[in-house]
Structure formats: structure tokens, C-alpha cells
Amino acid sequence: MKVILLGAPGAGKGTIAKLLTDYDGSVQISTGDILRAAVKAGTPVGKEAKAYMDAGGLVPDSLIMKIMEARLQEPDCQKGFILDGFPRTIPQAEDLKKLLTKLSITLDLVVNLDIPREVILDRLTTRRTCSNASCQEIYNIKSNPPKPDGTCKKCGSPTIQRDDETEVAILNRLETYNQKTAPLIGFYRKEGMLKDFSSLSSQETVEGIKKSLKK
Ligand code: ADP
């Protein structure tokens, strides 16, 4: 499948992307994960991106497009991909359209995860992430806690609250989403690619996406 996941931070893009990769072997491409890895490794891209990310703002479109142009040409994308956290702005969506034409790639579907703001806020403040870069399992201290000592059930590394998961940064991310990313809903609706999903259950959403893809 070649799918874009749209939705506010905390809407469940990462969880749903992982479930979809298990389904048909398409690769999950998360620009957030790529950027966090670059920050951790201290690469030039990471150095440029860090300040924007910590403040909950967006990394410049040009930097993101450079990353994605290379990423979409990696061999593992041929089986299909799930874009999680990209595109994030109208210019990115327009550039992506040109890039896909250039690479002769056709998208199947744009998924809009439509989740109420109260749910989102609660999910983000209670989220914990495994600090091991090659694991990054996501937990929720209420509904899916890590081990009692705070370590990851999968790999045993400590789980942490991300730098951009402080209350101020979260409100900033939601504001950035409403201003910069929400307009993509209209963009893809016009293109006839968009489908809305509003279930709070990731499983149920994944079943819905699979059905839409078969049509
Ligand atoms: P979120 O949980 O907010 O969806 P992500 O893991 O997708 O978080 O992204 C974390 C941060 O990385 C964002 O707040 C932003 O600074 C940066 N980022 C990720 N993807 C993009 C993108 N496509 N364009 C601009 N900035 C991005």
C-alpha cells in the first residue's frame, strides 16, 4: 500500500502505521523518527532540526523534502510505504505530488485520523517512549504502562517523556497542527484521495483502512 496518514499529534499515526506494516510489509516512514535519529547522531541535519523540534515547531520544508526525496528512493519503498508525519504543510504536499510524479509512484489513499482534542491532550501528556533508538516502543502510563520500574517491556531500556512532550510544547504542536497541517485535509479531499476515520480504537481504524484499500 502507498498511504499517507494525517492527524494531530497523538491521533495514533505511529501506532496505526506499525499495525499496517505488520499487515503487508509496507515500510513505515516517520519523518519524526528520522529527525530524532539525526538529532541523536548529531548529524548536520540533526543539528539544524533540533531547536525547531524542541519548541514544538516545524522543521523547514526544504530540509524535510531533501530527506524524503532520498528516502522514497530506497529499495524498501518498492513494496509500499506508510507516510507518518509527512507531508505536514501545503508546500510539502505540493512538492510531494511533483516528486511522486517524477518517481512514477501512485498513492492509494490519504487517511485522516479525526480524534477529539480532549482525547489528544490526555494521550500526549501520558505518553512515554522507549529511549532505545532501534526500539522506540510507545507506552501510555494509564492504558498501556511500561514495566513498574519504568523500563521497556520489549527491550528493557528506560522509557522517557520526549523533550517535545512538556505541556507548553504540546500546546504549541497542536497549534502548529491546526495552522499548518489541518489545511492538508482540504487539499487531499479536493484530490479525491481522502477518507476520514474517527474510531478511538487503532485496531478498528486499521480494519477500516484495509477495507478501503481493497475497494
Ligand atoms: P508528532 O507526535 O508531533 O506527530 P513527530 O514525531 O511526527 O511528532 O515529529 C516530531 C517533530 O519533528 C515535529 O514536532 C516537528 O518539529 C518535526 N517534524 C516531523 N515531521 C515533520 C515534517 N514533515 N515537517 C516539518 N517538521 C517535521
Side-chain angles (χ1 to χ4, degrees):
M1 68 181 89
K2 299 188 175 75
V3 171
I4 294 176
L5 297 182
L6 284 183
K13 296 186 299 289
T15 308
I16 287 164
K18 286 207 177 75
L19 291 168
L20 289 173
T21 59
D22 291 343
Y23 170 60
D24 81 341
S26 297
V27 58
Q28 172 189 9
I29 304 179
S30 156
T31 41
D33 287 349
I34 294 173
L35 290 168
R36 276 186 291 278
V39 169
K40 202 156 175 228
T43 65
V45 166
K47 283 188 182 132
E48 193 179 336
K50 186 172 182 354
Y52 298 101
M53 293 173 72
D54 286 351
L58 291 182
V59 170
D61 291 333
S62 54
L63 191 65
I64 296 287
M65 289 315 302
K66 215 160 60 187
I67 293 173
M68 285 307 296
E69 174 149 15
R71 184 65 188 89
L72 286 171
Q73 294 180 70
E74 305 255 335
D76 62 348
C77 289
Q78 278 176 2
K79 274 200 243 162
F81 51 77
I82 298 141
L83 302 183
D84 155 18
F86 169 85
R88 240 349 193 265
T89 63
I90 292 279
Q92 287 180 22
E94 281 167 346
D95 283 353
L96 175 64
K97 192 174 168 181
K98 286 180 211 147
L99 178 60
L100 292 176
T101 306
K102 187 172 110 182
L103 301 176
S104 307
I105 296 173
T106 315
L107 283 177
D108 298 313
L109 179 68
V110 179
V111 169
N112 179 35
L113 302 174
D114 190 14
I115 306 294
R117 184 180 164 94
E118 317 83 71
V119 177
I120 297 267
L121 272 174
D122 186 59
R123 280 184 184 172
L124 289 175
T125 46
T126 53
R127 182 147 91 177
R128 297 293 180 273
T129 308
C130 175
S131 58
N132 173 358
S134 57
C135 178
Q136 303 200 40
E137 185 73 3
I138 293 169
Y139 295 94
N140 181 290
I141 51 176
K142 288 189 199 162
S143 61
N144 171 31
K147 283 195 234 167
D149 66 354
T151 55
C152 176
K153 285 183 187 166
K154 273 200 173 158
C155 76
S157 306
T159 59
I160 49 160
Q161 207 165 1
R162 279 169 26 187
D163 286 341
D164 63 358
E165 280 172 358
T166 64
E167 208 164 311
V168 174
I170 287 170
L171 291 176
N172 220 336
R173 279 159 67 202
L174 289 177
E175 181 61 24
T176 304
Y177 175 79
N178 288 333
Q179 279 186 13
K180 306 263 176 68
T181 309
L184 295 183
I185 297 168
F187 179 94
Y188 286 115
R189 208 183 294 286
K190 240 199 231 154
E191 304 251 315
M193 309 267 336
L194 194 85
K195 216 165 153 58
D196 297 295
F197 295 86
S198 56
S199 170
L200 297 185
S201 147
S202 307
Q203 264 313 335
E204 212 172 282
T205 300
V206 166
E207 290 312 314
I209 295 171
K210 286 186 202 166
K211 268 193 206 138
S212 301
L213 288 169
K214 280 183 193 147
K215 275 181 198 153

